[in-house]
Every structure is written in structure tokens, then in C-alpha cells.
Amino acid sequence: MWRFGRPSGTEVLRWRCQGSPRDVCCKLHTRQCLSCFHLPQEERQFGGYFSSETMHVEPLILERHPDEDRGLNPFKEKTGISTRPSLTVEQLFDANNNGNKARGLNVLLHGAVGTGKSTVVRKLMLDWCAGSVFSQFKLVLPFSCEDLSHLSKPTSLRDLVGRKYMHLRKTPYLSGDNDKAKDVLFIFNGMEKMKLDFRIGSTELCSDPNEALPSGAVVVNLLRKYLLPEANILVTTRLSAVDRVPKKYINRYVQICGFNDPHRQRAYFTSRLLQQNEGKPGKVAETLIEMLYLNLQRESQLATACFLPSYCWLTCATLHLLHFTDTKSPIRTLTGIYTSFMRLNFGGEVISVDGNVSSQEQQSSLMLYVVRTVGKLAFDGITNKRTSFSAEEMEQWVGGKTKTDEELQQLAVFRTDVLDFFLVPRNDHGTDPESGGRRYVFAVPAMQEYLAALYVVLGENKSVLEKLTKEVSEALGQASEDITSLLSILSKIIPFRIFAVFNLLKLFPKLFERVSSHSKGRIASTMAAEMFRSEDSFNEDVLDQVEQSLLGVHGPQPQEETYTRAFELYPIFMGGLLHYGNRRLLDQLGCSIKSHTVSQITRALRKHLIKESQKKQPPEELMDLLVLLYEFQNPRLTAEVLQSIKTINLSTVRMTPHKCFVLSTVLSCTSSSFHLNELNLSSCHITPELLQMLWPAFHHTSNLNLQFNSLGPESCILLRDLLLEPNCTIKSLQLCDNYLTDTGMSHLLEALSGNHSLQRLCLMHTGLGDRSAQMLAERLGQHDMLQELNVAYNNIGDSAALTLVDACREHPSIHTVHLYLNQLTDVGKQSLYVRGGPRVKQGRRVKVLASVTEGSDISEDWHPILSVIGKNSLSWDRDRVREQLLVFLKDLEWGRKQHQSFWKKMHFRRVESVVRQMLRLLEKSSDTGTGTGTK
């Protein structure tokens, strides 16, 4: 899972120069055979960032006999691990451990699921090819025990090697002559997937490498040292299969314990996350690594899970999805990552006893067994809003109904090898404050929601009626053909009235179909109900919740931790599991979801989603809906649901690369004629890089709100290109509170001559000066559609403001200009009021909003001016806002003295009270030190 890349040309040349030509040839050809599979498919989805030279972190390996401690589980207490010296892979075949020099060593490497056994083997092979380890071996031959177990015909050792490595068909190292086998290392990976019988009566003795035997017999004779006794052998296995090889045939037991301390975990996270920038330090990657390490040091649940390298892979894969998604990478989903994670650890496995997987009828998918046991426990937890479970509850759901000896044996294997992979003691030492008993949680919180979703989508949550109708329907279905043939014969001699009884039997499968269809509709309604729960409306969006579960919550911690939480990933995983790509992976795991089932669920889900999407949703809930549509990967369903949405308001949602990609991808499913009334992305932490990812989404809106973000002058180049698009439909563009400066304005104004849609342009608090106002005045004549221009709260002086207003008066459609909170004098404000008066030609005026007063009268637009200032006063420069409010107050007091009318004076006092209240709010926030807010 922490995988490898292909060799460079320099490395290949270096190998060619090492050792004898024959040895180098073997290494080079073996390397070429390995290169096609040493980078798993699950890693290729990340764009080939990772290589063995930079990615590998050695797990802890200890010399430990299995009788000392049955499985030093990484989730158990750390005591006992540090007292033993750790081993390196190079030390596994140390000559000092071999008392009989005439025979090779048999080393058994055992460990729990996910500790990195297969990864160590892959890295070992690549390092041997590079000449860095096991230089004493001239030939290293790795075999998968799973592949060997599927061989149906007997074969000799030489043919077995030649079938996989064609260039080694006639190698002298396997001839059995002159002790040449002492230079050979056999590696058998995953012994638990193979049946080995060491009884003489079951497996005959053989010393001839050319004699054809069953694959299991070949391995047994190698371990017995009857076949090539000088050869060295490394066997890897899970804990349940350690005793399948008698102790007398094993020279050394070693245990792989994963990443037992935060430093190894940090080394892994550092080597992997830094690869996003091709090995160069990146600010985002460094921040993520630091936050991860802080969370690990707190001995959080993540630290417990990351004892297993598999969970380190899952953590990095999730963070890669959330923070390093780009438009060039293959489309990835969170559901896809979890499904790939299952495939990496349980791909194609069946649960068996003593490795006996020969009987196809008796085989049971290990992943399906996980779903029916651990998935059922997860579903019960979500139904009852619980994340921790007692030992009694685990016994009830995982093994409560086992009866036969075979089922008990399967359960024992499952508990030994798999159960601890999913469920771990709670990080407060697992104590229940009420009962005092030990409690367990899922190693990663999202895993509970994934397994529960898989349990439901696979149809394992059946009612009694569904189970009964299914069994009867299957029985009748098997006999239906025979009944039809029989009736065709009897119809000639039996009265037709008797056929009514048989026809009733034929109706039963249709009844089952109706019951089944109802259950699929129930799954869809469950998804919709879980998606739009009212009590979850004020939670953070689901992707932020996922990130917090990995990075932790930094800042003040609650005094009492609660173990009840919202399960908002649960319905999203249910939708993602219906996608064809995930169904294909699940089918390889033995968990089949039929296309007919997907069609029924989708048909029912469409109605629920359209109904709920028509309601006004909070920004976080709307983001969750978009994530569900993205995970579903069904363009037709997505387009139909979006047709009922007129406004997408994601204001204050913290946008990340993945969220931007989700929004753009989902909107791209709609037709070119689909347009939103508004796309609100204000206060979303959008940077110029994220703006580029959002480009496809901007083609589907009339009102684009990008205010209070982190855009700069370079962002205006992309916005200029957007406005110059021939099919641009943007009527309102709000860029307030982005530091665009005069440079950015020069880029943006280049779009005025070619754009024919823009009617409202908001540039408040964007760092504009007199130069920008002058450029605006010069370019306004090139665009005849603009109606409103907002350049308030900038650094525009009297002269430039007057020039701009004059240009607006000559414009055919502009009716409002915002200029308040600029560097304007009293004289300038009065001049602007006069300049904004009615024009002679058309008899209407340009409304200039420069102050709450216009001469000695109150401006009719005083309320919108103060409303805008009030909403943003805590996020703007407080000294400047206070200064402007004091100027407004001075103008109001002077204007009040100019009037004798009681009602006029009352109107002035009312506006004065609003200004004074805003000043008091500023003073109060300054005294309490609340900070300036975030954009």
C-alpha cells in the first residue's frame, strides 16, 4: 500500500554492471517481471507520484515465537514491544542463526491483516534486484500462495518456476546438483490461502525438482527439506495459519508489528504527502503533516489505527483526495478509496479452515462475511446512534448465531485474523463509564458508516417477509421449467380448472419482485432521510467532518467528550456504492450488487432528491447533496436533480480542491442551457488556484458571487477570459473584499469591449486607486449593458471620482455608482451629488452613493450604505471604518442644524442613532479583543 515506482534508466545500467553476467541477467529479468505488478491498481489512481525509493518506511519486525503471545496485535498495549531488539529484512537470514550449514533456513514471518507483510516482500524483491539486500542469494523467487492454490494440475518445481519466470526454465540453481540451491531464496506469500498437509500419508516425499506434484506438495517438500534442502525459504502468513507448518520445520519465527510509534507514522506521512509536489516542500503538505503529527501525539483514535500501515495508507489516500485533487488526475471518490482499501486487504479472499478452498460450493467470500457480521454491528450502531460497542454486543452481532463446527471454526479464524482489523479498544482505554466494561470502536470512524452502507445496499437488512418470499421464490423458480413441461403433457387429459392451482404458484415470483421492489424503495427513502435530517442542518459539511476525524480538532477541547455523532457519510457511501466502478470492485470481493437493484434504488431515490432539493438548504447541507451526486457518478440523475435547484449558496463553506472539483463536475453533468440564478461562493477561502478548478461551474450561472475570498490580481486574467466567452451569461459579478489592485483591474477591464451580458459589477474593498477609476472612466463607453457599479471602500480621491461619475452620466444604462468610504472630501462629496443630477437629454439621474447625506439633506440611500458597513465592519480595517462613521456623524449633526422642521430633525436623529450604535459595536469588539474576522 506504500508502494513503488518503475526503475530509471540509470538504475538499469547500474544493475548491468554488478556481479556476473548471469546473476545480473536473472535480477534484471526478475525486475522486469515484477515491474508490471509492484504498483497496485489502487496506487495508480493517484497519478504515479509514489516510488519505492522515496515511499518505503520499514515496519517494526521482532523475533517472536507465536506461543509467547498469540498475535502481538498493534491495537493492544505497547508494553512488551520495546523490550525486544528490532530486526531488518537483511537480518532475517543471518548465517549465525543457521546451525546446520548444509541446509537452508526456513523463516516464518507472521502478522495481523494490514501490518505490511506483502509490502515487505515487494520491497525486498526490488531491493534485491537493485543489489542492496540479500547479496548472498543469486536467485530470489517470490510466489503467491493464493495463485498456487488455484493450480488444478500437478506440476514439477522447475515447471512451476518456468511457468512464472520463463527465462529461468533451465536455470542450474534448481537442478539439485552441487549444492547450487544454497544461493536460492523461495518466498511464499500468504500461506493462509493454501492448504498444506505435512502428514506422510497425505503428501508423499519427493526430492526430484522435475517430478510433477500438486502445488501444495511441492511447498511441503521444500519446507521438509526433502526437495532442494540447501534452499532458503521465507513464508508469510496471518496469525490463524501459523500452526499449519509444524514447528520442527521452522528455524526462525519473526513477527511484523507495523508502525508502533508516532515517529514511524510521521515518516510515512512525510514521505507520502510531500510527493504531491514532486518531493519539494509544499505549504499545504507541511501543514497537513504537522496537524497529523499533533493528532498522533495526543494518542487519539487515529494513532491507534495507524499502528497498521494499511490505515496509514487510507489516511493519506483520503487527505490526497481532499487536498490534492486536480483536473488532470483520474476521477476519484471517497467511496472508491474505501472500496479500494478493502480490495487491497481482502481482495478475492474466501474464509476457509486450514486453507481448504478447493470446494467451490463451500467457499464464502471473506468480505461478504465481514459485511454480515461487522457490517451488521455497524448498522445497528448507526440505527441506535452509537459509535462504541460492548463485548456482549460484539458477541451478539459477530458470532451469536453460529451453530455448526465448521461455522465455529470459521468464526475462530475470523476473530484471529480480521476482527481486530476493524474494531479496537476505545482510546480512553475502552472503559464504559456506566457499566465499567470494555468498549470497542471502529479503527476509523468513517469505516462504521461504510460497512453499514454496504450492509444495506447488499440487501442484508431483510425483513422476515423478504426472507420468506425469497426462499419460496427461489424454490419455485428452480422447479418452474419442470412444472411447465409437465403441464404441457397433462393438458391433454386433465380438465382446465385444475390448472388454476398451478397458475397461482406461477404468480409467487411476481409477488416476490413486488416485495423486493418495495425494499429497494425503502433503501432510497433511508438515504434521503439520512441526508436531510433537520438535526444535522447546522453541522459542518461532511468532507470537513472527514478531515477533522483525521487531523483532529485544534483549539479548545470540550470538557466532556461525547460518543454520539451525526452519521452523514452513511447515505453518501450508500450512493457511492451504486456506482459501476465500485460495484465492479465489490464483485471481485464476492459482494455482488445487481444492475436491476441499482436501477430500482435510483428510480426511487430520484423522487426523494428532487423533492428535498426544491427546499432551501443550509450551505453545508447543500454541499453534502453535491457530494452525494458526485459519489453516485450518475450524470442523468445529477442533471435531473439540479433542474429543480435555482440557487446554489455555498457561502462560508471552506472550499478545498476536492470540493471545487465536486462542484464543477456536478454542474458539468447539466446541459449547456441550464443556468442558475445565483452561484454564491462568498467567504469560501477561494484562491487563484481553486478559481481555475471552478471554471466549468461559472458557465452555468447568471449571478456569480466571489466576495470575501483570497483572490489576487492574477485571478482577474481568468475572470477576463470568462467574461469574453461567446456564451457568457454572467449578469452580476461580485468581487468585493478581494485584493485585486490596479493591476487586476487593468486585466478585468479588457473584457468590457467583448462582453454583452454583465450588468452589475461590484468591486468594493478591492484595493483600487485613482488609476483604476481613470481606467474605468475610459473603458465604460466600450460596454453598453452595465447598470450598476460599486467601487466603495477603496482609495479613490475627489478628482478620479468626479471623472468616473462624469463617464457614468454619459453611459446609456448605468443608474447607480457606489463611492462611499473612499478618500473623498466634503467638497468632493457635494460635487458628486451635483454631478449625479438629471441629464438634459434623457431627464433622469445617476444615483451616486457617496455618503449618508447629500448636501444638507439625508440621502435616500442611507440605509443600504449603513447596512453594508454594518455587515462588514468587523472584518474591515476598524480604524478606517470608525473614521468614516465619525465623518458621517459630523455631516448628520451639521445637516440637522440646517433644518427647522421637527420631522426633519427626528429623521436626522434616527440615522444618527444607527451610526452611534455601529460605533459602540466597534468599541465593544475592540475592548473584548474579538479579532478582525476572516474573509
Side-chain angles (χ1 to χ4, degrees):
M1 284 145 270
W2 6 309
R3 311 291 196 213
F4 324 109
R6 294 180 180 274
S8 64
T10 305
E11 292 170 321
V12 173
L13 290 176
R14 185 172 68 246
W15 299 328
R16 289 184 182 276
C17 298
Q18 295 175 2
S20 66
R22 177 176 295 175
D23 297 340
V24 175
C25 181
C26 289
K27 291 186 178 183
L28 187 56
H29 280 290
T30 306
R31 175 91 185 202
Q32 291 170 344
C33 292
L34 288 171
S35 65
C36 63
F37 69 86
H38 68 243
L39 188 66
Q41 179 181 353
E42 286 74 15
E43 287 290 16
R44 295 173 192 152
Q45 62 180 315
F46 297 103
Y49 284 112
F50 312 113
S51 65
S52 59
E53 290 76 13
T54 57
M55 278 300 305
H56 188 72
V57 176
E58 288 289 347
L60 177 67
I61 299 177
L62 301 176
E63 184 163 8
R64 192 179 190 92
H65 198 281
D67 289 343
E68 299 179 34
D69 185 350
R70 275 292 173 181
L72 184 58
N73 194 312
F75 296 140
K76 296 181 181 179
E77 299 294 333
K78 301 179 185 179
T79 57
I81 294 182
S82 59
T83 58
R84 296 172 175 269
S86 62
L87 301 175
T88 63
V89 175
E90 180 75 18
Q91 294 172 324
L92 295 181
F93 290 90
D94 192 343
N96 296 328
N97 291 298
N98 192 358
N100 188 352
K101 301 297 181 180
R103 292 192 172 192
L105 284 174
N106 289 350
V107 178
L108 191 146
L109 175 67
H110 59 97
V113 177
T115 48
K117 300 181 294 296
S118 298
T119 305
V120 166
V121 170
R122 292 187 182 95
K123 186 62 166 60
L124 181 157
M125 283 303 305
L126 294 175
D127 287 346
W128 174 77
C129 291
S132 58
V133 298
F134 291 154
S135 57
Q136 69 269 33
F137 298 124
K138 303 294 179 59
L139 189 60
V140 178
L141 298 172
F143 288 94
S144 165
C145 290
E146 182 179 7
D147 294 341
L148 295 178
S149 67
H150 291 133
L151 293 178
S152 58
K153 296 181 179 180
T155 182
S156 67
L157 175 62
R158 293 185 69 98
D159 289 341
L160 194 65
V161 173
R163 179 180 298 184
K164 187 172 184 181
Y165 307 103
M166 297 181 63
H167 60 288
L168 297 176
R169 285 181 175 177
K170 298 181 179 180
T171 178
Y173 293 111
L174 301 180
S175 63
D177 300 331
N178 302 324
D179 297 336
K180 288 189 176 181
K182 71 178 186 302
D183 296 325
V184 179
L185 170 63
F186 288 97
I187 301 177
F188 296 102
N189 187 33
M191 187 190 68
E192 72 278 356
K193 302 173 186 177
M194 191 174 189
K195 182 179 181 180
L196 301 179
D197 193 340
F198 284 82
R199 293 173 299 178
I200 298 295
S202 300
T203 305
E204 62 184 75
L205 300 177
C206 175
S207 60
D208 184 3
N210 296 305
E211 182 179 346
L213 295 171
S215 58
V218 173
V219 177
V220 167
N221 280 288
L222 283 171
L223 290 170
R224 285 171 171 169
K225 296 304 180 184
Y226 274 84
L227 183 61
L228 301 183
E230 303 87 3
N232 293 271
I233 302 174
L234 173 64
V235 176
T236 71
T237 185
R238 291 178 184 169
L239 305 178
S240 63
V242 167
D243 293 333
R244 292 184 190 174
V245 181
K247 297 177 184 178
K248 62 181 179 179
Y249 296 129
I250 300 298
N251 302 104
R252 194 176 196 185
Y253 288 93
V254 291
Q255 183 174 20
I256 182 169
C257 303
F259 298 152
N260 67 310
D261 61 79
H263 300 294
R264 290 179 190 265
Q265 296 165 3
R266 181 173 187 172
Y268 174 85
F269 292 137
T270 301
S271 63
R272 182 168 190 116
L273 292 176
L274 286 182
Q275 294 301 307
Q276 317 309 323
N277 297 320
E278 298 180 354
K280 301 176 183 177
K283 184 177 180 181
V284 175
E286 290 178 347
T287 302
L288 290 176
I289 292 168
E290 190 61 32
M291 295 177 72
L292 274 172
Y293 188 58
L294 290 174
N295 200 19
L296 295 174
Q297 286 182 314
R298 287 198 295 262
E299 296 187 355
S300 62
Q301 200 66 53
L302 177 70
T304 305
C306 286
F307 267 49
L308 294 182
S310 287
Y311 279 107
C312 290
W313 179 91
L314 181 62
T315 299
C316 286
T318 303
L319 290 175
H320 186 283
L321 175 76
L322 297 178
H323 290 278
F324 300 104
T325 297
D326 57 56
T327 55
K328 299 178 182 178
S329 302
I331 290 182
R332 298 187 300 272
T333 63
L334 190 62
T335 312
I337 286 177
Y338 273 76
T339 306
S340 297
F341 176 74
M342 293 300 179
R343 185 176 180 274
L344 277 171
N345 290 282
F346 305 106
E349 291 189 42
V350 296
I351 187 165
S352 59
V353 181
D354 295 332
N356 188 6
V357 296
S358 58
S359 176
Q360 190 69 27
E361 292 78 10
Q362 297 177 353
Q363 289 186 14
S364 175
S365 162
L366 178 57
M367 190 64 218
L368 191 57
Y369 194 91
V370 169
V371 173
R372 290 172 176 171
T373 53
V374 184
K376 192 173 185 179
L377 177 70
F379 175 75
D380 179 70
I382 287 180
T383 303
N384 297 290
K385 301 301 178 187
R386 290 185 292 107
T387 58
S388 63
F389 308 91
S390 65
E392 291 75 16
E393 291 169 333
M394 290 175 59
E395 178 65 26
Q396 175 188 356
W397 296 114
V398 175
K401 295 184 178 180
T402 53
K403 297 179 181 179
T404 66
D405 290 342
E406 183 180 357
E407 288 176 335
L408 289 173
Q409 291 176 354
Q410 288 182 346
L411 179 61
V413 172
F414 180 76
R415 283 177 168 169
T416 303
D417 288 343
V418 181
L419 186 60
D420 287 338
F421 180 78
F422 293 104
L423 290 159
V424 301
R426 208 164 65 187
N427 60 1
D428 57 356
H429 305 294
T431 303
D432 186 357
E434 296 182 1
S435 63
R438 195 171 185 82
R439 296 194 70 84
Y440 299 84
V441 297
F442 281 84
V444 174
M447 186 60 70
Q448 179 180 355
E449 300 179 71
Y450 177 84
L451 290 177
L454 189 55
Y455 177 77
V456 173
V457 172
L458 285 175
E460 296 297 326
N461 183 33
K462 295 184 179 73
S463 63
V464 176
L465 176 61
E466 290 176 76
K467 293 178 181 178
L468 177 62
T469 53
K470 182 179 181 181
E471 291 174 2
V472 176
S473 178
E474 288 178 351
L476 292 177
Q478 293 173 359
S480 61
E481 294 182 3
D482 296 334
I483 291 176
T484 303
S485 302
L486 179 63
L487 289 179
S488 64
I489 298 173
L490 296 178
S491 62
K492 303 183 183 300
I493 57 176
I494 296 179
F496 283 99
R497 286 190 293 268
I498 298 179
F499 285 95
V501 177
F502 295 100
N503 290 331
L504 284 175
L505 294 177
K506 286 186 172 183
L507 290 176
F508 201 89
K510 295 183 178 180
L511 174 62
F512 168 70
E513 288 184 6
R514 298 195 64 175
V515 173
S516 176
S517 177
H518 175 72
S519 72
K520 305 304 182 295
R522 191 178 63 202
I523 292 175
S525 62
T526 300
M527 291 175 63
E530 293 292 337
M531 271 297 299
F532 302 103
R533 295 173 63 91
S534 57
E535 56 264 38
D536 298 338
S537 299
F538 300 100
N539 295 339
E540 294 177 308
D541 67 85
V542 68
L543 294 180
D544 276 357
Q545 293 179 38
V546 172
E547 182 178 318
Q548 288 179 8
S549 70
L550 300 178
L551 302 181
V553 179
H554 298 269
Q557 302 292 318
Q559 293 182 353
E560 294 184 2
E561 186 174 0
T562 176
Y563 290 95
T564 60
R565 64 179 179 87
F567 296 100
E568 296 184 74
L569 259 181
Y570 169 53
I572 291 175
F573 276 143
M574 290 173 69
L577 288 169
L578 299 179
H579 172 48
Y580 172 75
N582 291 322
R583 287 192 287 124
R584 184 167 53 84
L585 288 178
L586 287 171
D587 193 57
Q588 297 173 15
L589 292 169
C591 301
S592 178
I593 304 175
K594 303 299 183 183
S595 298
H596 181 61
T597 301
V598 176
S599 177
Q600 289 179 323
I601 296 176
T602 303
R603 194 181 307 116
L605 181 62
R606 179 186 294 108
K607 300 176 183 178
H608 292 289
L609 291 183
I610 291 177
K611 179 182 177 181
E612 294 294 337
S613 62
Q614 291 172 345
K615 303 175 184 178
K616 185 178 180 180
Q617 301 290 342
E620 291 77 13
E621 291 297 301
L622 186 55
M623 187 72 239
D624 291 348
L625 173 60
L626 296 176
V627 173
L628 170 63
L629 294 174
Y630 173 79
E631 293 280 328
F632 209 113
Q633 292 289 306
N634 187 325
R636 182 176 178 180
L637 173 67
T638 300
E640 292 177 355
V641 173
L642 289 181
Q643 286 294 335
S644 61
I645 299 177
K646 300 303 179 184
T647 298
I648 292 183
N649 179 12
L650 299 178
S651 177
T652 70
V653 172
R654 184 180 62 92
M655 298 299 286
T656 62
H658 183 60
K659 292 178 189 176
C660 292
F661 188 72
V662 166
L663 177 59
S664 295
T665 303
V666 167
L667 286 177
S668 296
C669 295
T670 60
S671 63
S672 58
S673 60
F674 172 77
H675 290 99
L676 298 165
N677 292 336
E678 181 183 14
L679 177 58
N680 188 346
L681 296 173
S682 61
S683 304
C684 290
H685 303 267
I686 296 176
T687 61
E689 294 75 20
L690 297 183
L691 193 69
Q692 181 70 45
M693 297 186 68
L694 289 167
W695 172 274
F698 296 156
H699 292 87
H700 296 277
T701 183
S702 300
N703 185 348
L704 180 57
N705 188 343
L706 293 171
Q707 60 186 5
F708 294 99
N709 282 298
S710 303
L711 304 180
E714 65 275 19
S715 303
C716 293
I717 299 176
L718 187 141
L719 293 172
R720 174 201 64 192
D721 297 339
L722 175 67
L723 293 173
L724 288 174
E725 287 280 323
N727 57 347
C728 179
T729 59
I730 294 178
K731 296 180 179 179
S732 175
L733 179 60
Q734 301 181 60
L735 298 172
C736 311
D737 281 81
N738 290 288
Y739 192 65
L740 306 181
T741 70
D742 294 340
T743 303
M745 179 56 57
S746 64
H747 296 308
L748 192 62
L749 291 179
E750 294 174 7
L752 291 183
S753 60
N755 178 267
H756 303 286
S757 64
L758 190 62
Q759 298 177 5
R760 184 167 179 257
L761 181 60
C762 296
L763 300 168
M764 180 173 60
H765 196 206
T766 52
L768 306 184
D770 289 344
R771 179 166 169 262
S772 292
Q774 295 286 352
M775 288 189 294
L776 264 170
E778 295 172 2
R779 298 288 186 91
L780 282 179
Q782 301 175 3
H783 189 278
D784 57 1
M785 298 294 293
L786 200 62
Q787 298 177 9
E788 184 175 355
L789 178 63
N790 188 342
V791 288
Y793 195 11
N794 282 295
N795 299 308
I796 301 174
D798 290 348
S799 177
L802 290 170
T803 303
L804 179 59
V805 171
D806 285 341
C808 292
R809 291 178 70 234
E810 298 300 324
H811 196 275
S813 58
I814 292 180
H815 56 73
T816 305
V817 181
H818 299 255
L819 282 165
Y820 45 89
L821 296 186
N822 274 293
Q823 305 295 330
L824 304 176
T825 64
D826 293 339
V827 176
K829 294 175 186 177
Q830 183 62 28
S831 300
L832 290 173
Y833 169 66
V834 174
R835 297 285 184 94
R839 291 176 290 183
V840 177
K841 293 182 179 180
Q842 299 181 7
R844 66 184 183 88
R845 61 190 295 264
V846 175
K847 189 185 297 182
V848 180
L849 280 63
S851 177
V852 294
T853 60
E854 294 178 351
S856 60
D857 294 324
I858 294 179
S859 171
E860 62 182 16
D861 298 301
W862 70 269
H863 187 272
I865 293 175
L866 293 182
S867 177
V868 171
I869 296 174
K871 290 178 181 178
N872 301 287
S873 58
L874 297 181
S875 61
W876 286 345
D877 183 352
R878 299 188 185 184
D879 292 334
R880 181 169 174 178
V881 172
R882 185 184 295 107
E883 178 185 346
Q884 291 292 331
L885 289 176
L886 290 174
V887 171
F888 287 168
L889 193 60
K890 179 182 176 183
D891 292 343
L892 289 169
E893 292 174 347
W894 178 83
R896 175 164 48 85
K897 296 177 182 178
Q898 307 305 311
H899 294 277
Q900 301 299 323
S901 170
F902 173 77
W903 299 111
K904 283 276 189 181
K905 289 180 179 289
M906 290 298 295
H907 191 24
F908 271 93
R909 289 189 183 277
R910 178 191 171 195
V911 180
E912 287 179 41
S913 67
V914 176
V915 176
R916 292 182 190 277
Q917 184 179 2
M918 294 173 65
L919 284 169
R920 286 194 296 270
L921 180 62
L922 279 176
E923 293 294 339
K924 182 179 179 180
S925 62
S926 298
D927 293 340
T928 55
T930 55
T932 58
T934 58
K935 294 181 180 181

PDB file of all heavy atoms in Angstrom, residues 11 28 63 140 553 643 898:
ATOM      1  N   GLU A  11      19.361   3.266 -13.116  1.00  0.00           N
ATOM      2  CA  GLU A  11      19.384   2.102 -12.244  1.00  0.00           C
ATOM      3  C   GLU A  11      19.589   0.829 -13.043  1.00  0.00           C
ATOM      4  O   GLU A  11      20.328  -0.058 -12.634  1.00  0.00           O
ATOM      5  CB  GLU A  11      18.062   2.038 -11.470  1.00  0.00           C
ATOM      6  CG  GLU A  11      17.917   3.177 -10.479  1.00  0.00           C
ATOM      7  CD  GLU A  11      16.512   3.223  -9.914  1.00  0.00           C
ATOM      8  OE1 GLU A  11      15.574   2.994 -10.693  1.00  0.00           O
ATOM      9  OE2 GLU A  11      16.397   3.502  -8.721  1.00  0.00           O
ATOM     10  N   LEU A  28      17.802  -8.724 -13.533  1.00  0.00           N
ATOM     11  CA  LEU A  28      17.161  -7.774 -14.442  1.00  0.00           C
ATOM     12  C   LEU A  28      15.849  -8.334 -14.966  1.00  0.00           C
ATOM     13  O   LEU A  28      14.826  -7.650 -14.994  1.00  0.00           O
ATOM     14  CB  LEU A  28      18.101  -7.446 -15.600  1.00  0.00           C
ATOM     15  CG  LEU A  28      17.646  -6.327 -16.549  1.00  0.00           C
ATOM     16  CD1 LEU A  28      17.380  -5.062 -15.774  1.00  0.00           C
ATOM     17  CD2 LEU A  28      18.691  -6.098 -17.618  1.00  0.00           C
ATOM     18  N   GLU A  63      11.783 -10.733  16.493  1.00  0.00           N
ATOM     19  CA  GLU A  63      11.879 -12.196  16.564  1.00  0.00           C
ATOM     20  C   GLU A  63      11.002 -12.649  17.715  1.00  0.00           C
ATOM     21  O   GLU A  63      11.267 -12.355  18.882  1.00  0.00           O
ATOM     22  CB  GLU A  63      13.322 -12.647  16.776  1.00  0.00           C
ATOM     23  CG  GLU A  63      13.453 -14.154  16.765  1.00  0.00           C
ATOM     24  CD  GLU A  63      14.881 -14.623  16.554  1.00  0.00           C
ATOM     25  OE1 GLU A  63      15.790 -13.769  16.564  1.00  0.00           O
ATOM     26  OE2 GLU A  63      15.084 -15.830  16.365  1.00  0.00           O
ATOM     27  N   VAL A 140      16.185 -15.094  -6.259  1.00  0.00           N
ATOM     28  CA  VAL A 140      15.080 -14.943  -5.309  1.00  0.00           C
ATOM     29  C   VAL A 140      13.779 -15.117  -6.080  1.00  0.00           C
ATOM     30  O   VAL A 140      13.533 -14.412  -7.062  1.00  0.00           O
ATOM     31  CB  VAL A 140      15.107 -13.563  -4.609  1.00  0.00           C
ATOM     32  CG1 VAL A 140      13.910 -13.418  -3.676  1.00  0.00           C
ATOM     33  CG2 VAL A 140      16.405 -13.386  -3.832  1.00  0.00           C
ATOM     34  N   VAL A 553      -9.431  18.108  16.045  1.00  0.00           N
ATOM     35  CA  VAL A 553      -9.968  19.460  16.230  1.00  0.00           C
ATOM     36  C   VAL A 553      -8.958  20.231  17.047  1.00  0.00           C
ATOM     37  O   VAL A 553      -8.695  19.896  18.201  1.00  0.00           O
ATOM     38  CB  VAL A 553     -11.333  19.423  16.945  1.00  0.00           C
ATOM     39  CG1 VAL A 553     -11.859  20.835  17.146  1.00  0.00           C
ATOM     40  CG2 VAL A 553     -12.321  18.599  16.140  1.00  0.00           C
ATOM     41  N   GLN A 643     -31.995  20.283 -12.008  1.00  0.00           N
ATOM     42  CA  GLN A 643     -33.017  21.070 -12.696  1.00  0.00           C
ATOM     43  C   GLN A 643     -33.965  21.734 -11.706  1.00  0.00           C
ATOM     44  O   GLN A 643     -34.556  22.773 -12.024  1.00  0.00           O
ATOM     45  CB  GLN A 643     -33.808  20.176 -13.658  1.00  0.00           C
ATOM     46  CG  GLN A 643     -33.054  19.775 -14.918  1.00  0.00           C
ATOM     47  CD  GLN A 643     -32.747  20.944 -15.827  1.00  0.00           C
ATOM     48  OE1 GLN A 643     -33.434  21.956 -15.815  1.00  0.00           O
ATOM     49  NE2 GLN A 643     -31.694  20.800 -16.620  1.00  0.00           N
ATOM     50  N   GLN A 898     -29.317  72.603  10.042  1.00  0.00           N
ATOM     51  CA  GLN A 898     -29.730  73.448   8.923  1.00  0.00           C
ATOM     52  C   GLN A 898     -31.249  73.439   8.736  1.00  0.00           C
ATOM     53  O   GLN A 898     -31.765  74.202   7.919  1.00  0.00           O
ATOM     54  CB  GLN A 898     -29.068  72.970   7.628  1.00  0.00           C
ATOM     55  CG  GLN A 898     -27.565  72.846   7.697  1.00  0.00           C
ATOM     56  CD  GLN A 898     -26.883  74.135   8.133  1.00  0.00           C
ATOM     57  OE1 GLN A 898     -27.174  75.221   7.592  1.00  0.00           O
ATOM     58  NE2 GLN A 898     -25.995  74.035   9.126  1.00  0.00           N
TER      59      GLN A 898
END
